Amino acid sequence: MHDIIVIGAGTAGMTAALYALRNGKSVLLLEGECVGGQIANSPRVENFPSVKAISGSEFSDRLFEQIKALGAELELERAEQIQKNADVFTVKTDSGAHEARAVIIATGVKHKKIGVDREEELTGSGVSYCAVCDGPFYSGDDVALVGDANTALQYGILLSGYCNKVYVCTWMDKFFGDKALVDTLLQKPNVEWVKNVTLCGLEGSDELSACVFDEKDTGKKRSIPVKACFIAIGQEPDNAPFNDVVKLDGKGYIAADESCMTDTAGVFVAGDCRTKKVRQLTTAVADGASAAMAACKYLG
């Protein structure tokens, strides 16, 4: 029996663990994929106060080492259900079950998929959602990048450093990210901006060989030969396993305000998986602190 189970070992979850541990509570973190969450895949973080620049993986590693030194426990298991019996919560996972007196959900978000034919089939064989993870495999090759916001811009800059050519493909004729990133990307000599297109097909047998786009301006299709297609069109929550104990909004986010309290006593939420207007590294940290403090107050 632990005082608090934190579901998710991203920035929000690990910050929640940090504050709970410093308040003398025992904490178990459950993580179904990899420690660090989304930020661990960011090649460069430059918007965290007091830190001029750091890689997302180093940021995550430092935070994990910090909570580990304070006694945090970690199990690499995917949480599949939360049950409440009196004042005890049981979190069932793909490997077993764990009990605690309070639960903090910090599952973050997952990559959105376009839904084009063969997207699932070719994932890992040319289709990727993480340039940090998979980009180096395509050093010297031509690749496509689909997306128009900050993550896509960062991926494009990263890929331009070792790919022969990067086709940055956007649905409109503008970007929706930071101007500094846009300027940096478009200055790269091996980057070609392909505007007003929609990915409609993926070609190749066992490996991706080309991306097919619908051109909105001409009504024609354009096939671009590439070895990889990196998709960066946003994220979505993965909260369905918990809808028995928390209320979800129309988009699947857990309904909660800045207090990070859900409509079930003893269950709290932190980070990108909750309803909020701003989803940034700093707001994940703030949520983690707020949720942990609320959970500690609940436990008494």
Side-chain angles (χ1 to χ4, degrees):
M1 171 76 71
H2 291 83
D3 291 322
I4 300 173
I5 288 177
V6 179
I7 303 175
T11 300
M14 288 196 286
T15 302
L18 172 65
Y19 273 74
L21 290 163
R22 287 179 59 84
N23 274 274
K25 307 302 182 186
S26 60
V27 177
L28 170 65
L29 290 105
L30 300 175
E31 174 54 57
E33 295 184 5
C34 61
V35 173
Q38 294 285 327
I39 199 63
N41 294 323
S42 179
R44 192 173 178 88
V45 177
E46 297 179 321
N47 60 355
F48 195 79
S50 82
V51 180
K52 185 177 180 180
I54 189 173
S55 71
S57 60
E58 183 180 357
F59 177 88
S60 300
D61 289 345
R62 288 185 183 183
L63 184 51
F64 179 67
E65 290 301 321
Q66 187 177 11
I67 63 172
K68 184 179 178 182
L70 291 172
E73 299 178 45
L74 170 71
E75 295 291 346
L76 294 177
E77 301 177 15
R78 178 176 175 81
E80 297 181 338
Q81 187 181 25
I82 300 172
Q83 294 180 339
K84 184 177 183 179
N85 184 13
D87 293 328
V88 175
F89 293 93
T90 301
V91 179
K92 294 186 175 181
T93 73
D94 54 2
S95 299
H98 306 274
E99 293 185 337
R101 297 192 295 135
V103 175
I104 298 174
I105 302 172
T107 49
V109 290
K110 61 182 180 180
H111 297 292
K112 282 185 179 179
K113 298 182 178 181
I114 292 179
V116 68
D117 286 346
R118 304 192 67 206
E119 183 176 358
E120 293 281 355
E121 177 189 348
L122 290 172
T123 296
S125 298
V127 174
S128 173
Y129 304 88
C130 179
V132 179
C133 311
D134 300 328
F137 295 123
Y138 300 97
S139 178
D141 294 328
D142 293 353
V143 301
L145 171 65
V146 179
D148 53 22
N150 277 342
T151 297
L153 293 165
Q154 287 184 321
Y155 281 3
I157 294 167
L158 177 69
L159 292 168
S160 71
Y162 41 74
C163 293
N164 179 61
K165 187 163 187 176
V166 182
Y167 295 92
V168 180
C169 308
T170 61
W171 183 63
M172 300 178 69
D173 61 355
K174 61 181 178 179
F175 289 101
F176 296 88
D178 295 343
K179 184 179 183 301
L181 292 175
V182 174
D183 292 343
T184 299
L185 177 68
L186 296 183
Q187 288 171 2
K188 301 294 183 180
N190 59 337
V191 168
E192 179 179 333
W193 183 10
V194 183
K195 311 173 186 177
N196 297 318
V197 295
T198 302
L199 181 66
C200 64
L202 299 167
E203 297 179 341
S205 53
D206 296 331
E207 299 282 340
L208 180 71
S209 62
C211 291
V212 182
F213 294 91
D214 281 325
E215 296 181 329
K216 292 195 293 180
D217 293 340
T218 66
K220 298 179 180 180
K221 293 188 184 299
R222 177 181 177 182
S223 178
I224 302 178
V226 290
K227 290 289 186 68
C229 178
F230 293 91
I231 299 173
I233 58 171
Q235 297 86 30
E236 58 189 357
D238 188 19
N239 294 321
F242 316 121
N243 61 5
D244 289 339
V245 293
V246 295
K247 180 181 178 181
L248 306 183
D249 69 7
K251 296 182 179 180
Y253 292 95
I254 297 174
D257 59 15
E258 299 300 318
S259 70
C260 295
M261 299 172 64
T262 72
D263 54 355
T264 297
V267 179
F268 307 86
V269 61
D272 290 355
C273 63
R274 78 166 178 89
T275 52
K276 58 194 304 183
K277 292 183 178 180
V278 179
R279 293 182 171 88
Q280 291 288 314
L281 185 62
T282 48
T283 63
V285 169
D287 275 7
S290 296
M293 297 300 287
C296 291
K297 183 177 180 180
Y298 166 80
L299 294 173

